[in-house]
Amino acid sequence: RKEVEQDPGPFNVPEGATVAFNCTYSNSASQSFFWYRQDCRKEPKLLMSVYSSGNEDGRFTAQLNRASQYISLLIRDSKLSDSATYLCVVNPMNRDDKIIFGKGTRLHILP
Amino acid sequence: NAGVTQTPKFRILKIGQSMTLQCAQDMNHNYMYWYRQDPGMGLKLIYYSVGAGITDKGEVPNGYNVSRSTTEDFPLRLELAAPSQTSVYFCASSYSQGSGGYTFGSGTRLTVV
């Protein structure tokens, strides 16, 4: 099992729809989780952290399921500007303690 | 607030040439990183530094070298460029390694021909 795995997509979703995607991780000892957003030909930017109890930031909801070892990102009322690649990031709590980036899920919002 | 500044933004190198990718941050972060991202692929860690004078290899260090003489600067040196080094290079910094709050530079697009 890969350390961090994401469905590469692309997800093609009409504007206004709700879309969700998951990310699985292999190390059950992982402690912290994040979602980054990367626009085409741009650098990744932190979108939100993922807390154990789940958290919202406007139209975005992040959730963690430790039992099944996955995190999810839900986007409600999607906008054209949400089109991007969403990177799942996990802190595996290994010896080096460096975070691991997933390869990303591409999202296209269709007008 | 400049954040993380990378130069140059674009570069074309011939096989066998050398160059240095510059990276500077003004957030007083101790931790700095170099990643490469190939088309349609994830970020791969090349080198990282936990503070001035300390560097360590990441996942794909071959063909690269780094130095960290100051907290602010973390240049990446390519010696004897090869076509396999064609990629987008991102420098990043963070307050701590596991915090997840990485700030990235805007990247350097390198083509080796």
Side-chain angles (χ1 to χ4, degrees):
Chain A
R1 189 177 187 180
K2 293 181 181 178
E3 288 182 291
V4 177
E5 201 154 7
Q6 296 183 250
D7 183 338
F11 284 50
N12 297 308
V13 174
E15 190 175 11
T18 295
V19 59
F21 25 84
N22 293 339
C23 163
T24 58
Y25 60 94
S26 61
N27 187 341
S28 60
S30 299
Q31 291 297 315
S32 50
F33 310 88
F34 313 89
W35 284 103
Y36 275 67
R37 170 193 170 126
Q38 186 173 23
D39 293 316
C40 187
R41 301 176 74 84
K42 298 286 189 180
E43 72 272 23
K45 293 183 178 179
L46 179 63
L47 178 66
M48 58 196 303
S49 301
V50 185
Y51 302 122
S52 296
S53 55
N55 48 297
E56 273 190 25
D57 184 0
R59 298 181 293 107
F60 297 82
T61 300
Q63 292 193 315
L64 167 63
N65 185 316
R66 286 194 183 275
S68 300
Q69 294 181 214
Y70 73 85
I71 65 172
S72 63
L73 180 67
L74 179 82
I75 305 174
R76 291 181 299 277
D77 187 24
S78 54
K79 312 291 185 189
L80 294 176
S81 57
D82 293 334
S83 296
T85 296
Y86 291 84
L87 308 177
C88 168
V89 177
V90 175
N91 177 2
M93 296 301 287
N94 60 16
R95 180 180 61 87
D96 293 329
D97 209 31
K98 290 182 295 299
I99 67 175
I100 298 174
F101 287 84
K103 292 183 178 181
T105 296
R106 289 170 56 205
L107 175 65
H108 294 155
I109 305 299
L110 307 172
Chain B
N1 265 353
V4 177
T5 302
Q6 287 185 242
T7 56
K9 292 191 183 302
F10 305 93
R11 184 72 185 267
I12 298 175
L13 276 183
K14 293 184 178 179
I15 294 171
Q17 286 185 322
S18 301
M19 76 165 293
T20 299
L21 281 65
Q22 301 292 344
C23 175
Q25 53 94 7
D26 62 359
M27 297 171 285
N28 203 32
H29 285 166
N30 282 326
Y31 298 84
M32 295 188 75
Y33 316 85
W34 274 105
Y35 289 89
R36 62 176 286 174
Q37 187 175 39
D38 299 328
M41 302 296 288
L43 295 162
K44 293 185 178 179
L45 183 64
I46 305 171
Y47 270 95
Y48 68 99
S49 169
V50 301
I54 306 170
T55 63
D56 208 346
K57 296 178 180 179
E59 182 184 358
V60 290
N62 291 344
Y64 307 94
N65 275 302
V66 294
S67 60
R68 184 94 183 271
S69 56
T70 66
T71 299
E72 294 77 20
D73 299 301
F74 190 39
L76 177 71
R77 178 80 177 165
L78 277 72
E79 304 282 1
L80 299 174
S84 60
Q85 293 178 304
T86 294
S87 191
V88 180
Y89 292 83
F90 289 106
C91 178
S93 72
S94 69
Y95 176 73
S96 67
Q97 287 198 62
S99 70
Y102 284 25
T103 300
F104 283 83
S106 58
T108 295
R109 294 186 175 276
L110 176 67
T111 302
V112 182
V113 296

